[in-house]
Amino acid sequence: MGDLFFSLISIAYSIFLFVESSKLPEGIANMPGPGFFPRLVAFIILVLSCCLLISSLWRFFKKRKCPSLQGEWIQTISTILFILLYVLFWNKGNFLLNTFVLLFLIQVVTGWKWYFALIGSAVLSISVFLLFGKIFHVLFF
């Protein structure tokens, strides 16, 4: 239960850190500015905190043997959370990386083996990027 509270506090802290670091300049072209490192740290804390939250919730519900939250409900809730995080980071970072991580996490939660999920999400995200970005000239971010 301590992991659950710690992960929630860490998520709140990382969001606060991300918001505050976004007030710093990003930099010019390929030279990172003073806001780059704090945003990177905030993103890493957020990802790790979300992983800790999911694993602590998984252990909590597995220990309680709650039949109403077994099976497809966990996959559905996890998928909704992943898509929500994807939307929150829509204008931040790289489209290709964000889409790859989203697809990988959804495939792992839905029961794919991690190496098939890795290959499938890489192929799909690169295909979408090449098709819409390079052929149709759609601006992603």
Side-chain angles (χ1 to χ4, degrees):
M1 196 61 142
D3 288 345
L4 179 68
F5 294 121
F6 180 74
S7 65
L8 292 174
I9 290 171
S10 297
I11 288 171
Y13 172 71
S14 65
I15 291 171
F16 171 75
L17 183 62
F18 198 80
V19 168
E20 291 299 315
S21 66
S22 67
K23 297 175 183 174
L24 297 171
E26 291 184 19
I28 301 170
N30 62 354
M31 296 185 61
F36 174 76
F37 186 70
R39 272 187 230 127
L40 179 67
V41 170
F43 179 74
I44 291 171
I45 291 172
L46 182 66
V47 168
L48 293 176
S49 300
C50 288
C51 291
L52 181 62
L53 177 68
I54 290 169
S55 69
S56 63
L57 286 174
W58 183 270
R59 281 183 276 132
F60 177 74
F61 287 122
K62 190 175 181 182
K63 184 171 41 171
R64 293 198 50 198
K65 302 227 189 254
C66 182
S68 64
L69 288 174
Q70 289 180 348
E72 295 180 4
W73 280 104
I74 292 176
Q75 293 175 353
T76 305
I77 292 171
S78 299
T79 303
I80 290 170
L81 286 174
F82 294 147
I83 292 173
L84 178 65
L85 285 173
Y86 182 75
V87 170
L88 288 175
F89 288 111
W90 175 253
N91 207 10
K92 313 283 191 248
N94 186 347
F95 170 80
L96 193 59
L97 180 64
N98 290 355
T99 306
F100 171 77
V101 170
L102 170 74
L103 293 173
F104 177 75
L105 291 174
I106 288 174
Q107 289 175 2
V108 167
V109 166
T110 55
W112 290 46
K113 294 191 184 318
W114 69 269
Y115 46 89
F116 286 130
L118 189 68
I119 294 168
S121 57
V123 167
L124 187 58
S125 59
I126 290 171
S127 299
V128 167
F129 179 75
L130 290 176
L131 178 68
F132 288 99
K134 300 300 180 188
I135 295 174
F136 296 134
H137 303 289
V138 174
L139 295 176
F140 292 112
F141 288 158

